[in-house]
């Protein structure tokens, strides 16, 4: 067998084209691209406005089974399918999320695909890229500074400093900042209070940027952020602090989608990257809607498995942005099916057809779930070299028995040549016009009923459970006019239940809603079920210790 | 009189040229420029290396009298002089510092010059620019995260958490972060300790980036950073935490100088921006040394007045980078002379020749000081419309009596046409070969004697004073091998003394050294004399409340 090249070796060996050539492929004139280096560019706001009346291409969602330590390759498949569609003559654009810088220094690993299905320049995309996340950090922390400054100068708004919900953010894995006491050190530094930092991708500003349709909408949503409560429990908004407009200034460039290319020189928009637990986990609405104006096909992904990622893509992003997905690809691997069937990670190398068969229950559940939204599905089996024919057939047969098709995809090893069959299938599904998309629940349903709808119909739990205080909080928000918002479920991604160890397709579990949070600017109510970490830590031996510049000045150790 | 346009109106009315055209003027081929938009670019490391053997142009420092609330216009004069030299047929490049984002949201004001002597695009330069400061923030905070992470996972280095000197940074005016308690909230968040944030420009990483000669030197200096002390009082270095190489990766692009243009389409390098109190306050060595390879004249500035800025420029930057300044321009204004002569700010509009004459003592002191370094001086009187002929003549006569020339400059109102005379004078000074630059003290002098040398010969104090503990600390550092470092004085910029209200040219004061800090990576020992603020706060009505995007999507309220 040939020597397997690392992702970074493959990426470096690629023949990159100037970003202006990539833009030309989808009809963007050079004057509408703002370059960041020779291989990255932002689309001008003027160009995006000019396309408003154009006809939309077809939107394809790539989602996945419940993630396991075996890895599924959702971004890799998203990128591969984009290349595959271009290969068979369709004009296709890939839309994926930007990577968070902080986690790169914890555990080795990038977020730009892998093998022969990557977006490049991968080092840039995983580090500072075009500065969007830094701008989000700055805008978020400006609001935080204005809050404490307001209190310092007399607290005219009568803000209860114990009830300030707006924390600070940093794009770094730093557990020491999770809980802090600030404004220590005396009178000149303000009024001491408890606070803390989240990682930047968990910022509501990130979710807002990804759901805003343009700069005006962004500014309005920033103003709608609730930063805390007065002593009389009424909400204080970012607008009350006159912070919204300056925040929009800091986010002016970050709002514009970033154009890069795949290894096969096809266009990719990489823009935005909200958490997939306390936020909705999809790339920006602006990137997706703009791509739809420029291509026959737009291939995009959603975070985690379909129970979280696709559910939020449909119920939050598509609902709010008026998107009509034409088809969905569910990524599965033989290895993941084995783990869902009870095999331990160390035993994944051994053929185990029975475990694959058992684990397919997880896949079947996700297929049913996606179809509930009126979107036709196809399964992509992301090939690993140790997969046996019998195991692959088992997955194919399972999917066929459930009225769909599973297609073996070798894009990781072969690029677009390995994913042609899936591309054709996606086209036929999308062209069939069988999609009849609608969200799972109506805006008018009560907030708790929305939560319970997701619990029962997606997670297949017996019920949603919550303390009286949580239910009362939801009722208060309904009374305050927030009842029409969708819910954003924050739950472990590893199981349909709230127990991360419960793989496969559990039923009849109870989902306990521990806490609810109102993201009034983003426009959803977060239901937190279980422990959700919004500021990661670093491992004992972080990859930062090994990341370095080599003698040629190239980055090593990131991937 | 004509309506006076605002800086931003003038900047927007300018006809910008593509940055590749600006590069071509100084012999940089397009492939060696990495564009950030159409009007900003970074120089490639390869290009910089390729110029190593080239002949150097002449280096001109722009410094100033002791600053007053009246404003001196040092950056404006630096930019104006660059344009003036180009106007009279010299190939000249301006080298100035990048602006800090945080303070823009406090008090209105930019750092890109003013009137008809500005660098553009001024909004970008004052906000995110090419992301250098964000990269410095990330590198600084990665090291901080690795410190607490090391302690969390067992503290193998036996670090005394009470003696961690490395704080965190944010490019924001946020007094609430000056003093914090971190790692609160329980076992999972680490060991609680006291810490805090400085503003990014106060980071030692900023000083390092500005003094490093290339990426290898940067990495070495990052490794040399002392982050704290063990229980046995021995130093722990960033290198001990294996943080240095990953930090260099984050700073890879930030190390490259940024090319922009003046309003008259002449080249300007805007790169780096260390504090001028606890650091040396000059743009990067890489920008200055590269510019010298490309131009006949390089015009650069140093922070604050000449007692701080020029002293550090000569004793730290020039010493370490082997620079040989050919001439120095001292910027003075009639208004500043009046204030040094005792006039209150509200009375500046009234002619007061006697006060101008008295205040000139401050200017004279700075002239003498700069000449001590063997650098010939010329005085630029930055013209304000209310200046009277008699007042201007008073300054001219004073300077003439002290063996130099003062030239009235109207670049703010007229651009290069208003500063031709100064440009000619600078050329004649530089061409005369009269410069015989040498730093004020030898490397071999003891650290305290270096401090005292500056106090006596620059500040004209009677003596430097320090507690026994401070002197003992200096002796320990000398024993540890740091005795050869230059000293970096942190003192009020408003007076030669440590009393900011003592204007003019005081003598025989005592300068008390309150505290000393070792910046082992940057390569200097900081002597703190008086209160030095490293994290600013916001005013009661911060300019953030007024900064906004107008209907055309342009930024308003920044300037």
């Amino acid at each position: 067998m040939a020597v397997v090249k690392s992702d970074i070796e493959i990426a470096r060996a690629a023949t990159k084209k100037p970003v202006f050539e990539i833009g030309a492929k989808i009809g963007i004139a050079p004057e509408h691209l703002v370059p960041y280096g020779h291989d990255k560019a932002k689309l001008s706001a003027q160009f995006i406005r000019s396309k408003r009346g154009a006809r939309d291409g077809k939107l394809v969602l790539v989602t996945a089974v419940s993630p396991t330590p075996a890895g599924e390759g959702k971004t890799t498949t998203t990128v591969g399918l984009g290349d595959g569609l271009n290969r068979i003559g369709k004009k296709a654009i890939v839309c994926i999320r930007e990577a968070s810088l902080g986690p790169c220094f914890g555990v080795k690993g990038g977020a730009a695909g892998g093998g022969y299905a990557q977006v490049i320049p991968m080092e840039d995309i995983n580090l500072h890229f075009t500065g969007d996340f830094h701008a989000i950090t700055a805008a978020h922390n400006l609001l935080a500074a204005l809050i404490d400054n307001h209190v310092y100068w007399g607290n005219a708004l009568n803000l209860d400093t114990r009830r300030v919900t707006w924390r600070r953010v940093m794009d770094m894995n730093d557990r020491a900042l999770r809980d802090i006491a600030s404004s220590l050190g005396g009178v000149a530094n303000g009024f001491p209070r408890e606070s803390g930092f989240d990682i930047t991708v968990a910022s509501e500003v990130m979710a807002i940027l990804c759901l805003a349709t343009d700069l005006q909408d962004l500014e309005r949503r920033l103003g709608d952020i609730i930063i805390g409560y007065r002593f009389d429990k009424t909400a204080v908004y970012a607008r009350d602090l006159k912070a919204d407009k300056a925040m929009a200034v800091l986010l002016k460039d970050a709002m514009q989608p970033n154009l890069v290319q795949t290894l096969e020189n096809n266009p990719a928009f990489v823009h935005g990257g909200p958490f997939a637990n306390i936020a909705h986990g999809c790339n920006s609405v602006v990137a997706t809607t703009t791509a739809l104006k420029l291509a026959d096909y737009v291939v995009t992904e959603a975070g985690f498995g379909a129970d979280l990622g696709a559910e939020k893509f449909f119920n939050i992003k598509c609902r709010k942005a008026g998107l009509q997905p034409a088809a969905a690809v569910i990524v599965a691997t033989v290895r993941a099916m084995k783990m869902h069937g009870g095999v331990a990670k160390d035993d994944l190398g051994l053929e185990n057809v029975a475990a694959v068969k058992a684990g397919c229950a997880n896949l079947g559940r996700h297929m049913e779930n996606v179809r509930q939204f009126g979107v036709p599905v196809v399964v992509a089996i992301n090939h690993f070299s140790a997969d046996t024919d019998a195991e692959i057939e088992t997955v194919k047969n399972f999917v066929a028995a459930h009225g769909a098709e599973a297609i073996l995809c070798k894009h990781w090893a072969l690029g677009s040549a390995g994913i042609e069959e899936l591309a054709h299938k996606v086209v036929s599904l999308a062209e069939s016009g069988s999609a009849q998309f609608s969200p799972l629940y109506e805006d008018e349903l009560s907030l708790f009923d929305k939560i319970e709808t997701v619990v029962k119909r997606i997670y297949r739990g017996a019920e949603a459970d919550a303390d009286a205080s949580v239910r009362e909080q939801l009722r208060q928000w309904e009374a305050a006019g927030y009842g029409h918002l969708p819910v954003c479920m924050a739950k472990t991604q590893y199981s349909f239940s709230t127990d991360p160890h419960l793989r496969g397709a559990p039923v009849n579990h109870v989902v306990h809603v521990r806490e609810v949070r109102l993201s009034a600017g983003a426009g959803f109510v977060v239901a937190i079920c279980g422990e959700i970490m919004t500021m990661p830590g670093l491992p004992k031996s972080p990859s930062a210790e090994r990341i370095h510049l080599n003698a040629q000045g190239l980055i090593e150790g990131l991937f």
Side-chain angles (χ1 to χ4, degrees), chain A residues 290-319:
Chain A
T290 303
L292 285 167
K293 302 297 184 190
L294 304 175
D296 304 326
Y297 282 84
V298 173
V299 185
T300 191
E301 61 169 349
F304 298 147
D307 56 327
L308 281 163
E311 186 268 311
K312 295 182 193 186
F313 175 78
F314 294 139
N315 277 328
I316 298 176
K317 181 173 173 178
C318 291
R319 177 199 303 264

Side-chain angles (χ1 to χ4, degrees), chain A residues 8 11 27 30 43 50 71 96 120 127 148 183 240 252 258 281-282 284 359 376 379 385 390 392 487 496 519:
Chain A
I8 187 82
L43 276 64
S50 76
I96 61 174
I120 47 177
L127 295 176
D148 279 302
S183 289
D240 297 330
K252 177 174 173 284
N258 305 296
C282 310
S284 76
V379 173
S385 52
I392 291 165
V487 293
F496 282 103
S519 291

